[in-house]
Amino acid sequence: MKYLTTENAKTTKGESLGYLTAILYLAPSYLSGRNVCPHASAGCIAACLFSAGMGAFANVKAARIAKTRAFFADPKQFIEDIAKDIEAAQRKAGREKLTLCVRLNGTSDISWEIYGGKAGVSLMARFPEVSFYDYTKNPSRVRAFLAGKFPPNYSLTFSRSESNGDTALSLASAGANVAVVFDTSKGDALPVEWAGRPVVDGDVSDLRFLDARGRIVGLRAKGQGKKDESGFVVVV
Ligand code: SF4
């Protein structure tokens, strides 16, 4: 089974900036029967599970569930298989004269830094030349990242929800970048700042590891997120 995707709307935006993005999409929350989002909120689950985009298609959903079950069935083998996909993506990036980056939590929130393959080595250590990046709602991971206890090639952006707002503000004060979903329509400008910090437009590209520190990463609500009433989407 091929695990990483290099062709979708997010990756196309990155290519125009010189990056090939390989993304792993698992079945979010409990969709597979096993939870891959231990810090999810009701609002983000509702926005994510049945969101517009590829995940809404039955065949795509089934493939994501199969990948998630493969991970839980044998995590070490899963890491080995992902490593093969990264090697293939590196070859593709080389052919297309692009720089490879990898996002493992496309639709999950797993602490990939603690998983090793058969030799117990993390993917970040195995591919030190590759930039890994993720959004996360796990504050412990972001604190470790800010404290320099993360692999140097793995960048994290904290993801605000309706249930972690205070944590988001405190992590922003500590220097973390925080992603915030606004009710801004496609094509409209995001707020200039939020919580006293400058907002960068996270919809221009998904290349979060290139963001300057201390930024709010503004995202426009998409799919079911447009109907959010939980507070997950910030009304501007
Ligand atoms: S938004 Fe993130 S944490 Fe929430 S369900 Fe989706 S992947 Fe999981």
Side-chain angles (χ1 to χ4, degrees), residues 28-29 37 40-41 44-45 48 106-109 137 232:
S29 186
C37 303
S41 68
C44 85
I45 291 171
C48 193
T107 38
S108 56
D109 196 356
K137 290 186 174 66
F232 172 61

Side-chain angles (χ1 to χ4, degrees), residues 128-142:
E129 68 284 17
V130 174
S131 293
F132 292 79
Y133 71 100
D134 271 320
Y135 297 85
T136 184
K137 290 186 174 66
N138 183 339
S140 301
R141 296 181 78 212
V142 176

Side-chain angles (χ1 to χ4, degrees), residues 203-226:
D203 288 326
V204 171
S205 88
D206 195 46
L207 305 173
R208 295 283 66 84
F209 57 98
L210 297 180
D211 293 334
R213 284 284 189 92
R215 298 295 189 271
I216 301 299
V217 178
L219 301 166
R220 292 168 186 79
K222 300 167 189 74
Q224 287 297 311
K226 292 181 186 167

